[in-house]
Amino acid sequence: MPILQIRQAIRDAMKEEMERDERVFLMGEEVGYYNGAYKCSEGLLDHFGPKRVIDTPITETGFAGIGIGAAMCGLRPIVEFMTFNFSAVAFDQILNNAAKLRHMTHGQFGVPMVFRGPNAAAHMLGSTHSQAFEHFYAHIPGLKVIAVATPYDAKGLLKTAIRDENPVLFLESELMYSVKGEVPEEEYLIPFGQADIKRPGEHVTVITWGQGVPVALKAAELAAAEDVSCEVIDLRSIRPMDEAAIIASVKKTNRAVIVYHGWPNGGVGGDIIARIQELAFDDLDAPVLRVCYEDLPMPYAENLENLILPSPERALAAIRRVTYKR
């Protein structure tokens, strides 16, 4: 089985879908002649030409709106944001047009499109370039939100996103584009709303997604050295969410820790805690804990950034607390 980086898996997914369906096209800043800011679209301009791989000006509101209009007219755009922090400029387009048009027109217009690009903190990029946007977009009916952490998931979920009849926010990570993993040569799709158990365990459920996955897996490795068995669940799909997988695991382990990028207030972590206490309260032997950003804007300085970001050590401390080993 080929070993690919996440960026290569994303490129292959787009290439295969563009070859399969001539309605699919890619647009965004530097996606064409520069081969993508993170080389996720390398070679696509040469293969498909400038009508289907379109370099745009630095006008997120404009090209997000063009993509929405194209989707309404029957095309299937992939809109790349150089970082999801820049999607804030196009938030009105996504919130009030992409998410709502199918509902408000009673299905007369669909918006089958993908917004994709890196999300959350990278490294020493400061406050305005280090925000995790799944917490904003998962709040909005009409959108689907996906966060990937492996090449296998990136390819299978992106192909599913491109074929979906609804707007999909596909969240990647600048720091994880070079992560390698096995990717089948034959075509495969991964359904939305199905979490993946990255590591089975018995004592604590660790729920995570995106950039939180390697943090959670490292914390589980550290906990194993202390005879604590962690079950690490990668949600992959934030909206729709695999609630059944979460509850089944919590009913087995009786404890839960949530590890993610993003602030504590009003986020996906709080939503997960609400679901657990509604559906598995009597199974809990300890409070559900979150390991996420500190409630501050992200600093630029590396030493301060490291204090704010979720880390395996902070996750291990939470695991110790819920197992009463602190």
Side-chain angles (χ1 to χ4, degrees):
M1 193 178 295
I3 304 295
L4 300 181
Q5 296 179 347
I6 287 179
R7 61 165 57 88
Q8 294 168 322
I10 289 168
R11 178 202 62 204
D12 287 359
M14 292 192 293
K15 183 178 180 181
E16 289 176 15
E17 291 304 301
M18 291 172 75
E19 288 175 339
R20 188 188 67 86
D21 187 343
E22 64 181 9
R23 297 173 298 170
V24 180
F25 70 95
L26 172 67
M27 65 189 305
E29 297 153 351
E30 298 184 347
V31 298
Y33 289 101
Y34 192 67
N35 286 309
Y38 310 101
K39 304 307 178 216
C40 291
S41 55
E42 188 169 16
L44 296 187
L45 176 63
D46 292 338
H47 190 76
F48 294 103
K51 288 188 177 181
R52 296 186 66 196
V53 180
I54 303 168
D55 281 319
T56 67
I58 306 175
T59 53
E60 286 79 12
T61 300
F63 64 75
I66 289 170
I68 293 166
M72 292 173 65
C73 292
L75 300 179
R76 306 185 80 90
I78 304 168
V79 173
E80 178 180 314
F81 293 119
M82 193 177 293
T83 160
F84 259 92
N85 292 276
F86 300 162
S87 76
V89 182
F91 188 67
D92 179 59
Q93 295 278 13
I94 299 169
L95 168 68
N96 283 321
N97 295 321
K100 295 181 172 63
L101 280 167
R102 188 175 186 183
H103 172 77
M104 293 178 68
T105 63
H106 203 256
Q108 293 179 79
F109 286 104
V111 190
M113 65 184 301
V114 177
F115 298 96
R116 52 156 294 269
N119 175 59
H123 181 60
M124 296 178 65
L125 294 182
S127 304
T128 59
H129 289 62
S130 301
Q131 289 147 146
F133 274 82
E134 63 267 36
H135 310 280
F136 295 87
Y137 292 121
H139 184 64
I140 303 169
L143 300 179
K144 297 184 178 182
V145 182
I146 306 300
V148 295
T150 68
Y152 178 86
D153 292 346
K155 184 175 183 181
L157 285 164
L158 182 53
K159 288 171 72 71
T160 300
I162 293 169
R163 298 186 193 188
D164 200 281
E165 296 302 320
N166 301 282
V168 179
L169 283 295
F170 193 86
L171 308 176
E172 303 151 14
S173 166
E174 184 178 336
L175 294 178
M176 297 178 70
Y177 280 129
S178 61
V179 168
K180 294 180 179 180
E182 292 184 339
V183 178
E185 291 184 301
E186 64 274 12
E187 180 176 83
Y188 66 98
L189 302 174
I190 299 175
F192 291 165
Q194 289 190 6
D196 184 43
I197 297 178
K198 292 289 195 274
R199 179 182 178 124
E202 300 294 331
H203 300 143
V204 184
T205 298
V206 182
I207 303 158
T208 188
W209 61 90
Q211 281 182 279
V213 172
V215 177
L217 287 172
K218 180 62 178 177
E221 182 183 324
L222 296 173
E226 301 179 5
D227 297 321
V228 176
S229 172
C230 295
E231 181 150 287
V232 179
I233 298 179
D234 178 3
L235 291 181
R236 303 191 296 190
S237 178
I238 308 302
R239 185 182 182 118
M241 185 181 293
D242 192 349
E243 187 177 87
I246 295 170
I247 300 306
S249 181
V250 171
K251 284 178 178 287
K252 179 177 71 172
T253 67
N254 310 117
R255 297 169 173 83
V257 172
I258 307 166
V259 178
Y260 64 95
H261 274 236
W263 294 303
N265 291 348
V268 176
D271 177 34
I272 295 169
I273 292 173
R275 295 174 192 237
I276 292 172
Q277 71 89 17
E278 288 170 6
L279 300 172
F281 179 80
D282 290 337
D283 296 279
L284 289 173
D285 288 340
V288 181
L289 299 183
R290 288 175 290 182
V291 180
C292 54
Y293 294 170
E294 298 294 341
D295 196 20
L296 295 164
M298 190 66 63
Y300 173 80
E302 184 177 25
N303 60 325
L304 298 178
E305 182 182 60
N306 289 337
L307 292 174
I308 284 183
L309 291 172
S311 66
E313 293 73 23
R314 286 179 58 201
L316 177 62
I319 292 166
R320 287 171 175 161
R321 283 184 62 191
V322 299
T323 54
Y324 303 106
K325 293 189 175 184
R326 57 178 177 176

